[in-house]
């Protein structure tokens, strides 16, 4: 499996690495700006930017909602620079997403991405072996040197006979972030089964599954289980046709299932658990919803959860302070209220719309909802937009290959 060395392929490789590795904080936000500039160059050279009117209106509404929320926040919060950074980043993510969609409509971009992902997974697994040995035997851990994001400090803490001895961080700031990226690549491989040989497919699926298991992230378990459930469900032709015809019903089914799982999660008594992570996660969700009920139009502003949560945490004696609500809907509603639903609607509109296969769209919805309902705001993870883009466009690659194979077989039969 080789990648031809030309300007476009170098660009595609750089975009992939910048988007995937951004959350590692290598060079911090510089990586994302590099990807944005490359996307801009590719789009400008190929004159590909085509946005229909109704989508353009939705983009403008999304940006306007972010601006309104941020202006309210800037007025009420002293840290002006932090708030400006918030609004710039959030608008930037949406604009970058638009450019990603234009570029990855190209079959060549998707084909190159499939090869890059194969190489990346092999390299990532090789590093994971080193990370396990470094944790157990006290070797220097590479990620402690390349992580420079002050929001996610890392230290090597070896606890004998502890899960932390082998729990993988990979190149990300914590296991749940690493699992988020790995699950996205895992879905990509499932959707693109036919662009890999049978040996390659089994190998990278095995390696990715091991990486997911070794993160021991609870936010990884639910997405994997649900994706496998729908993956097997869609193998039945009648169900596949039904979901294709009634897509809204399919998305609603996912939403109801995940909402019910979150309800079960929140219904547990935190006092009965010795897991402080569970206590902090569940209480932060509840506090986020309570904040929303008191500030339901524009929320409390971005990056302001910690200063408000202390007033709501008196009902939770075992509450551990969290900087954000550890659930996407709770975080979005508490920080930006009903106005914050515009950027989310924009994202879901792109996911649910278009002509891509129901399998792609359904897997992305399951992926966003199941991870996001049990973790932080996925809209503020830039890798979200990149993974969604390649997942939505990926199926066209192996379908083209499959059609070529069918055509060749047809010719052979005629001969």
């Amino acid at each position: 499996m080789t990648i031809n060395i030309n300007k476009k392929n170098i660009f595609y490789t750089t975009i992939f690495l910048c988007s995937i590795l951004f959350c590692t904080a290598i060079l911090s936000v510089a990586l994302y700006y590099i990807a944005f500039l490359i996307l801009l160059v590719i789009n400008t050279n190929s004159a590909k930017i085509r946005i229909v009117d109704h989508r353009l209106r939705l983009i403008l509404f999304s940006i306007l909602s972010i601006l309104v929320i941020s202006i309210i926040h800037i007025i009420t919060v002293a840290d002006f620079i932090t708030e400006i950074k918030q609004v710039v980043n959030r608008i930037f993510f949406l604009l970058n997403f638009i450019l990603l969609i234009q570029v990855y409509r190209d079959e060549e971009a998707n084909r190159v991405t499939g090869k890059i992902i194969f190489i990346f997974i092999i390299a990532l697994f090789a590093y994971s072996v080193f990370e396990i040995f470094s944790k157990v035997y006290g070797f220097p851990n590479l990620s402690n040197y390349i992580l420079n994001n002050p929001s996610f400090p890392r230290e090597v803490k070896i606890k004998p006979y502890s899960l932390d001895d082998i729990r993988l961080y990979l190149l990300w700031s914590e296991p749940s972030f690493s699992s988020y990226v790995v699950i996205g690549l895992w879905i990509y491989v499932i959707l693109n089964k036919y662009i890999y040989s049978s040996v390659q497919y089994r190998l990278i699926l095995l390696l990715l599954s091991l990486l997911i298991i070794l993160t021991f992230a609870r936010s990884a378990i639910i997405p994997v289980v649900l994706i496998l459930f729908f993956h097997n469900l869609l193998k039945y032709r009648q169900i596949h046709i039904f979901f294709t015809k009634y897509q809204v019903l399919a998305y609603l089914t996912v939403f109801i299932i995940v909402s019910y799982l979150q309800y079960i999660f929140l219904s547990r008594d935190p006092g009965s658990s010795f897991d402080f992570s569970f206590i902090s996660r569940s209480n932060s969700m509840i506090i986020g919803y309570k904040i929303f009920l008191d500030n339901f139009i524009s929320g409390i502003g971005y990056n302001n959860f910690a200063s408000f949560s202390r007033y709501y945490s008196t009902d939770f004696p075992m509450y551990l302070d969290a900087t954000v609500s550890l659930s996407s809907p709770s975080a979005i509603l508490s920080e930006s209220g009903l106005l914050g639903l515009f950027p989310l609607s924009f994202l879901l509109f792109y996911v649910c719309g278009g002509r891509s296969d129901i399998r792609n769209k359904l897997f992305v919805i399951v992926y966003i909802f199941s991870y996001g309902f049990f973790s932080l705001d996925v809209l503020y993870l830039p890798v979200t937009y990149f993974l969604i883009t390649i997942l939505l466009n990926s199926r066209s690659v192996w379908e083209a290959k499959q059609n070529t194979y069918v055509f060749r077989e047809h010719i052979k039969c005629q001969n």
Side-chain angles (χ1 to χ4, degrees), residues 13 18 108 157 163 187 206 214 227 276 283 309 317 329 344 379 408:
T13 305
C18 287
E108 183 185 356
K157 294 181 178 179
L163 196 62
I187 299 171
L206 173 64
L214 290 173
I227 289 165
F276 292 115
N283 288 345
S309 65
L344 176 63
L379 296 185
R408 286 174 181 171

Side-chain angles (χ1 to χ4, degrees), residues 12 15-17 19-20 32 96-97 100 104 113 117 185 381-392:
Y12 295 145
I15 290 168
F16 175 85
L17 293 176
S19 300
I20 290 291
Y32 209 65
N96 199 65
F97 185 44
L100 277 170
Y104 282 88
T113 300
I117 285 175
L185 298 179
L381 294 176
V383 72
T384 296
Y385 301 93
F386 177 74
L387 289 172
I388 288 173
T389 303
I390 64 172
L391 291 177
L392 289 178

Side-chain angles (χ1 to χ4, degrees), residues 328-346:
S328 287
S330 175
I332 293 168
L333 291 172
S334 62
E335 288 189 337
S336 54
L338 296 177
L339 284 172
L341 295 179
F342 280 111
L344 176 63
S345 301
F346 163 66

Side-chain angles (χ1 to χ4, degrees), residues 222 256-270 278 282 285-286 373-374:
I222 294 174
I256 291 172
I257 291 173
V258 177
S259 298
Y260 181 67
L261 290 173
Q262 189 184 56
Y263 170 75
I264 294 174
F265 180 84
L266 292 176
S267 298
R268 288 180 58 191
D269 178 15
F278 163 72
S282 61
M285 290 183 195
I286 297 170
F373 265 68
F374 296 90

Side-chain angles (χ1 to χ4, degrees), residues 69-84 86 299-308 335:
I69 295 162
S70 297
I71 289 170
I72 295 171
H73 197 190
I74 288 168
I75 293 171
T76 57
V77 177
D79 193 350
F80 178 79
I81 299 299
T82 299
E83 306 319 315
I84 290 296
Q86 286 282 324
I300 56 175
Y302 296 118
N303 201 35
N304 204 24
F305 181 83
S307 59
F308 274 79
E335 288 189 337

Side-chain angles (χ1 to χ4, degrees), residues 16-26 120 124-125 127-128 131 141-144 146-147 149 152-154 167-183 185 208 211 215 371 381-383 387:
F16 175 85
L17 293 176
C18 287
S19 300
I20 290 291
L21 297 179
F22 175 80
C23 287
T24 63
I26 305 172
F120 181 77
L124 192 62
F125 185 80
Y127 173 73
S128 73
E131 184 182 354
N141 196 329
L142 176 64
S143 57
N144 288 301
I146 61 176
L147 284 167
N149 189 337
F152 303 106
R154 283 277 302 278
R167 194 178 186 194
L168 293 182
Y169 284 67
L170 299 174
L171 296 175
W172 287 268
S173 53
E174 66 163 63
S176 62
F177 284 177
S178 65
S179 67
Y180 180 63
V181 177
V182 173
I183 291 170
L185 298 179
L208 285 173
L211 291 178
T215 61
Y371 182 90
L381 294 176
V383 72
L387 289 172

